[in-house]
């Protein structure tokens, strides 16, 4: 582990008093003064070194991300801008902050940051699963829980939401975002930002949000992490940029530049994306922080010959804060003095960082009240929110013969088999912050509690998640033979997804499909329960199960919703936010593809189907929903009109259920070829048995029917536009101004 020289650090601990005794308080210390005036006043007082140090983010505590080698600071400089805070409580933060506020010359508080991706201690569903809930109110609710736990534990900013549109399940980080659709990522990005930031960043139940990884990281070549991505300008504007634009409009405090080389220019050295689009065109006024060592990595990527050159390029590209490699601290002052980086560029970076610190109220309230852990973690309402999200995000993929919910009159014995039955670690998912396995309810416990005394549970682990040890097969097979139905719990290790977790295939390890084969040979009805952090290729498994429940990695709720779906207590309402291919060989495969040059069977695979196994938006319910016709307020429109589309959905079953209505738009003919369909709105509602609910889509023609060109300019052309929902269609004609 390389250590910074004490001399370098000691230099930084120069203790002056910023406001000489006897003088009136400087403007920047006046909370009643406008933020921008405070920023400018403070900036004007700062030395070059103080400004450089504000752009420095290091970390304190035990580095919990094994992918990030880093240097341990011997001493924390009083002027450092930010620290990734890896301690589970505010005490260390407060002691660092107190030293900074009392001993540094200007008393600029440190901003503490952390990766609370889907919870801090109350761990809830992974983002890919959250999107399957189609319930952005719930996403906001759980984000609010994470914000409260994070802030009360000493964190001011979370490195979330991750909104990298991804269509390649081989890429482990697909688990961290909201799937394949730019619109879904946009909606959940907004929800997360609202949940994290609330309406006042200074409130200690809120945290600053940092959208990541700007931009196009989800297109990492071959699904391998850290590889380059090649994305056309057209695709950038129609797919990868929209979630970030949505987040800027929602007021995100920060953006993280990524690792990937994008079209030859690394995203942490991409002036076009950062300065021209993010800051100038969209008016983003927060700060851009590099991803971990992504400035240093510019040397690996062949953009910079030296680390100093890397700092020059990144700074001049608009990256405001350097995470993890300490290079700004080492080279930036020299670069400024030699004129390679203009001081006004440094001023702009510091301005943005200070702006967020003022908005967070760090100058007035630099310390976090120390509370007992049980006053902030796993509060009843927090646990309930995580449970609701788990309930609504699980997806019933298959239910042949209406096997589920199980007929209690016919079930005397249930076999629970498979490596994830009694697992509570992997159900936490990756990036599980300070979540702990004991917080998680296992599937075994949940099912035992759910079916109580009158059903005998027979458990057999059967096999591991991978490897070749089949010694447990027989015991599990015999358990199945004794039972009336079998719940087979398979899936992934939580570290098989997340960062640096690419896999060459999205099929589960062979031993799992062999195990399922053996269990199916018992002839008993099998319910396959899957916990995983990516879409799976189930072609070798799906036929061996009458029912399939995709539970994702639900966090502390664990198996409770699964047990509820088995018993009927939970009516599944999840729908897929990402396509489940039939096989890895089909990747990329996603709903909003563009038309092929040929129709019919031409251009299809010769060896397997070209269709996915389970499509985007697929999900079964115990209710039966019947869609009426779509009614449009107008059938002929001009670009400046608004129109309403309405559909009434009736629950014709005897089971109350929630239904997410997904509204798609198809423009069959356009000067730029468009996807076969594009999701433009969704809404989820409870529909009581026998009752109806009307769903409305307020259409803004330019936004919802129109398209975008390779320069990011939205446009709408005349012609027919098809609106669809639930298999129903209606057509509106756009004409030139009448
Ligand atoms: C990691 C990840 C990023 C995370 C950051 C800080 O390498 O790429 O998502 O927020 O470093 O841990």
């Amino acid at each position: 582990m390389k250590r910074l020289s004490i001399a370098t650090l000691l230099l930084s601990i120069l203790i002056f008093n910023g406001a000489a005794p006897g003088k009136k308080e400087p403007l920047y210390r006046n909370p009643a003064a406008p933020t921008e005036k405070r920023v400018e006043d403070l900036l004007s007082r700062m030395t070059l070194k103080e400004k450089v140090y504000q752009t420095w983010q290091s970390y304190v505590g035990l580095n919990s991300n094994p992918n990030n080698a880093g240097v341990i600071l011997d001493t924390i400089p009083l002027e450092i801008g930010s620290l990734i805070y890896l301690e589970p409580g505010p005490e260390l933060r407060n002691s660092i902050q107190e030293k900074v506020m009392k001993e540094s010359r200007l008393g600029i508080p440190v901003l503490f940051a952390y990766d609370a991706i889907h919870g801090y201690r109350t761990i809830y569903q992974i983002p890919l699963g959250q999107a399957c809930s189609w319930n952005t109110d719930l996403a906001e609710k759980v984000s609010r829980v994470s914000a409260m736990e994070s802030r009360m534990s000493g964190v001011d900013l979370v490195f979330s939401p991750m909104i990298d549109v991804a269509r390649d399940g081989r890429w482990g980080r697909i688990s961290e975002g909201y799937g394949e659709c730019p619109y879904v990522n946009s909606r959940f990005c907004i929800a997360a930002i609202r949940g994290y930031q609330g309406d006042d960043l200074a409130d200690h139940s809120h945290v600053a949000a940092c959208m990541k990884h700007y931009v196009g990281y989800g297109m990492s070549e071959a699904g391998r992490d850290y590889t380059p991505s090649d994305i056309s300008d057209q695709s950038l504007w129609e797919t990868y940029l929209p979630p970030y634009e949505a987040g800027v409009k929602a007021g995100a405090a920060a953006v993280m530049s990524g690792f990937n080389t994008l079209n030859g220019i690394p995203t942490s050295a991409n002036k076009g994306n950062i300065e021209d689009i993010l800051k100038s065109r969209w008016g983003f006024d927060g700060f851009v922080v590099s991803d971990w060592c992504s400035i240093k990595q510019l040397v690996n990527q062949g953009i910079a010959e030296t680390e100093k050159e890397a700092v020059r390029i990144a700074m001049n590209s608009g990256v405001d804060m350097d995470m993890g490699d300490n290079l700004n601290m080492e080279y930036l002052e020299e670069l400024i003095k030699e004129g390679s980086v203009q001081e006004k560029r440094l001023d702009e970076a510091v301005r943005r960082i200070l702006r967020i610190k003022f908005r967070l109220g760090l100058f007035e309230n630099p310390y976090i009240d120390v509370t007992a852990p049980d006053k902030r973690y796993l509060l009843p309402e927090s646990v309930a929110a995580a449970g609701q999200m788990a309930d609504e995000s699980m997806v019933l993929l298959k239910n042949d013969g209406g096997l589920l919910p199980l007929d209690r009159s016919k079930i005397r014995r249930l076999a629970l088999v498979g490596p994830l039955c009694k697992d509570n670690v992997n159900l936490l998912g990756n990036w599980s912050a300070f979540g702990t396995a004991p917080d998680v309810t296992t599937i075994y416990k949940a099912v035992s509690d759910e079916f109580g005394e009158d059903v005998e549970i027979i458990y057999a682990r059967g096999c591991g998640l991978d490897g070749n040890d089949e010694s447990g097969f027989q015991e599990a097979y015999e358990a199945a033979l004794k039972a009336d139905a079998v719940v087979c719990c398979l899936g992934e290790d939580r570290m098989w997804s997340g960062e640096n977790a690419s896999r060459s295939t999205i099929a589960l390890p062979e031993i799992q499909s062999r195990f399922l084969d053996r269990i199916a040979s018992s002839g008993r009805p099998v319910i396959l329960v899957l916990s995983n952090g990516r879409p799976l290729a189930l072609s070798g498994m799906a036929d061996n199960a009458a029912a399939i429940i995709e539970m994702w990695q639900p966090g502390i709720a664990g198996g409770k919703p699964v047990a509820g779906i088995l018993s009927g207590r939970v009516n599944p309402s999840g729908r897929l936010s990402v396509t489940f291919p039939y096989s890895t060989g089909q990747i990329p495969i996603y709903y909003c593809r563009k038309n092929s040059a040929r129709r019919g069977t031409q251009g299809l695979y010769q060896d397997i189907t070209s269709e996915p196994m389970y499509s985007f938006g697929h999900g079964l319910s115990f209710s039966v929903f019947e869609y009426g016709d779509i009614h449009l307020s107008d059938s002929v429109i001009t670009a400046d009109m608004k129109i309403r589309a309405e559909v009434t959905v009736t629950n014709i079953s005897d089971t109350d259920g929630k239904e997410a209505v997904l509204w798609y738009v198809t423009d069959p003919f356009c000067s730029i070829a468009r996807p076969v369909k594009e999701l433009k709105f969704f809404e989820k509602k409870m529909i009581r048995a026998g009752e109806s609910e009307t769903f409305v889509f307020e259409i803004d023609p330019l936004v919802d029917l129109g398209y975008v060109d390779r320069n990011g300019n939205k446009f709408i052309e005349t012609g027919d536009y098809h609106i669809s929902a639930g298999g129903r269609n209606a057509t509106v004609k756009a004409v030139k101004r009448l």
Side-chain angles (χ1 to χ4, degrees), residues 21 42 82 100 118 207 209 263 278 374 468 489 571 590 662 702:
L42 177 50
S82 177
V100 168
H118 53 108
V207 283
N263 303 334
L278 181 68
D374 64 2
N468 282 305
C489 306
N571 183 356
Y590 49 97
L662 279 56
L702 183 60

Side-chain angles (χ1 to χ4, degrees), residues 57 63-65 67-68 84 86 114-115 117 159-160 162 173 176 212-213 217 225-226 256 259 290-293 323 431 499:
Q57 181 181 73
N63 184 357
S64 54
N65 181 348
N67 304 305
N68 287 350
I84 297 178
L86 301 166
Y114 183 63
D115 287 291
I117 307 301
F159 295 125
S160 176
M162 191 273 216
R173 305 203 74 168
E176 300 176 47
K212 69 187 187 183
H213 308 77
Y217 187 22
D225 214 349
Y226 315 122
M256 183 188 297
F259 289 133
S290 71
D291 198 343
W292 185 276
C293 293
M323 180 200 293
W431 293 105
E499 184 177 355

